[in-house]
């Protein structure tokens, strides 16, 4: 049997969990399922991760960090138009780069539970900040609605259109989001 480094085992656990969470849902996939699929014992799995929610946090952490960084960078843009462009393009690029993981967050309601509150709260905070930036300074309620619609239009379909080439999908999602923001 090949010998794996501890970091390699941890990576294999996260990748296996992504596959199981995606095919079975987060709630349905068990720690036993993950351990068996990786080829380790359940106690060994618990040596690497204390809980399934810790595995989820390790899985979604990098894309969430990238989203947070993208939104923070966009907030420093000199103009509202540039800010909106950076928010839409940057967030969409992160979602596209992490398509499977983000689909899990967008399509699997079971990831939103008591044990995942901290991680999911962070996602909601980042998305709300992105929407605030899209709405611009002192927006009325209509502008806030359009900003929320534009963000959703740019990111949500990614999980449903895995068969569309990334560049084509990106262009069309941005086109739709811009059309929503332009409506007055």
């Amino acid at each position: 049997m090949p010998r794996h480094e501890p970091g390699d085992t941890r990576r294999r656990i996260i990748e296996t969990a992504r596959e199981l969470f995606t095919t079975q849902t987060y709630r349905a996939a068990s720690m036993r399922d993950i351990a068996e699929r990786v080829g380790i014992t359940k106690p060994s799995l618990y040596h690497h991760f204390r809980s399934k929610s810790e595995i989820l946090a390790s899985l979604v952490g990098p894309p969430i960090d990238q989203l947070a960084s993208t939104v923070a960078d966009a907030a420093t843009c000199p103009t509202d138009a540039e800010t909106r462009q950076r928010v839409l393009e940057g967030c969409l690029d992160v979602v596209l780069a992490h398509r499977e993981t983000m689909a899990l967050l967008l399509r699997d309601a079971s990831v939103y539970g008591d044990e995942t509150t901290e991680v999911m709260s962070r996602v909601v905070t980042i998305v709300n900040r992105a929407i605030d930036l899209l709405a611009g300074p002192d927006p009325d309620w209509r502008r806030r609605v359009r900003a929320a619609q534009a963000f959703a239009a740019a990111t949500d379909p990614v999980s449903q259109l895995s068969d569309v080439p990334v560049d084509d999908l990106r262009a069309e999602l941005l086109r739709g989001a811009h059309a929503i923001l332009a409506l007055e």
Side-chain angles (χ1 to χ4, degrees):
M1 182 167 189
R3 183 104 173 113
H4 297 286
E5 296 297 317
D8 183 48
T9 300
R10 192 171 168 84
R11 181 193 55 73
R12 288 185 308 122
I13 291 168
I14 292 169
E15 289 303 315
T16 300
R18 177 193 341 266
E19 291 169 19
L20 289 172
F21 295 166
T22 301
T23 58
Q24 298 180 8
T25 76
Y26 170 75
R27 180 166 289 135
S30 70
M31 292 292 273
R32 172 174 279 128
D33 295 335
I34 295 167
E36 287 175 0
R37 184 78 62 92
V38 172
I40 60 176
T41 64
K42 197 170 166 187
S44 180
L45 176 61
Y46 281 107
H47 171 75
H48 293 280
F49 293 97
R50 292 181 305 242
S51 65
K52 190 166 61 166
S53 63
E54 189 176 316
I55 296 173
L56 180 68
S58 293
L59 173 62
V60 301
I64 291 171
D65 291 344
Q66 289 177 10
L67 281 174
S69 177
T70 295
V71 171
D73 289 347
T76 65
C77 291
T79 68
D80 293 335
E82 188 178 344
T83 297
R84 281 191 288 278
Q85 188 71 17
R86 295 263 300 269
V87 167
L88 283 176
E89 288 183 5
C91 289
L92 178 56
D93 289 343
V94 171
V95 171
L96 286 169
H98 300 278
R99 233 173 179 174
E100 286 182 9
T101 301
M102 299 312 285
L104 175 67
L105 293 177
L106 293 169
R107 293 193 309 180
D108 183 359
S110 74
V111 300
Y112 296 90
D114 291 341
E115 72 279 1
T116 61
T117 300
E118 185 177 322
V119 171
M120 299 295 76
S121 176
R122 185 162 179 239
V123 172
V124 169
T125 298
I126 294 165
V127 169
N128 286 341
R129 179 64 179 133
I131 290 168
D132 288 345
L133 290 171
L134 288 173
D138 301 318
D140 63 7
W141 69 269
R142 286 176 180 85
R143 191 76 185 149
R144 292 192 328 261
V145 166
R146 295 273 192 255
Q149 289 173 320
F151 188 84
T155 58
D156 289 0
V158 169
S159 67
Q160 298 167 342
L161 300 168
S162 59
D163 60 327
V164 178
V166 171
D167 291 340
D168 295 340
L169 182 58
R170 182 183 189 276
E172 193 58 31
L173 292 173
L174 287 173
R175 192 173 3 271
H178 286 291
I180 290 168
L181 285 174
L183 295 175
E184 294 298 333

